[in-house]
Amino acid sequence: QVQLVESGGGMVQPGGSLRLSCAASGFTFSSYVMSWYRQAPGKERELVAGITSAGGSTNYADSVKGRFTISRDNAKNTVYLQMNSLKPEDTAVYYCNAKRERGWSRNYWGQGTQVTVSS
């Protein structure tokens, strides 16, 4: 059974920090590009950050560069998103995504975790 389970969301004040985790199981985690997406009410889902299968390359949306850091621990089958200097516009449901890097196309999604940044 393929599972992506996000955790670590919650409510924080502007300027605060959160660390999201996504625990993966049921597939070969080390063969997948991992990404974080987010979706705010009334908005389309957008890519926040991505990391290659071995962790050698990362990319970020311009809106989070310098504030968010994506990382992965293949031994733990877990990808993280460290979010610092949070802003109200970061409020969204954050989703973990796994995409197979090569071979047969496969794409998995978690259920999401709510992040709310508010005073």
Side-chain angles (χ1 to χ4, degrees), residues 38-47:
R38 68 186 182 188
Q39 187 168 25
K43 303 291 185 180
E44 294 185 0
R45 188 172 298 187
E46 64 173 342
L47 176 66

Side-chain angles (χ1 to χ4, degrees), residues 29-41:
F29 181 79
S30 60
S31 297
Y32 284 71
V33 173
M34 300 301 297
S35 299
W36 288 95
Y37 288 74
R38 68 186 182 188
Q39 187 168 25

Side-chain angles (χ1 to χ4, degrees), residues 5-61:
V5 181
E6 300 96 336
S7 61
M11 185 173 182
V12 296
Q13 294 186 343
S17 297
L18 285 173
R19 191 194 194 202
L20 305 184
S21 298
C22 173
S25 60
F27 63 97
T28 306
F29 181 79
S30 60
S31 297
Y32 284 71
V33 173
M34 300 301 297
S35 299
W36 288 95
Y37 288 74
R38 68 186 182 188
Q39 187 168 25
K43 303 291 185 180
E44 294 185 0
R45 188 172 298 187
E46 64 173 342
L47 176 66
V48 176
I51 185 166
T52 52
S53 60
S57 183
T58 59
N59 68 282
Y60 299 91

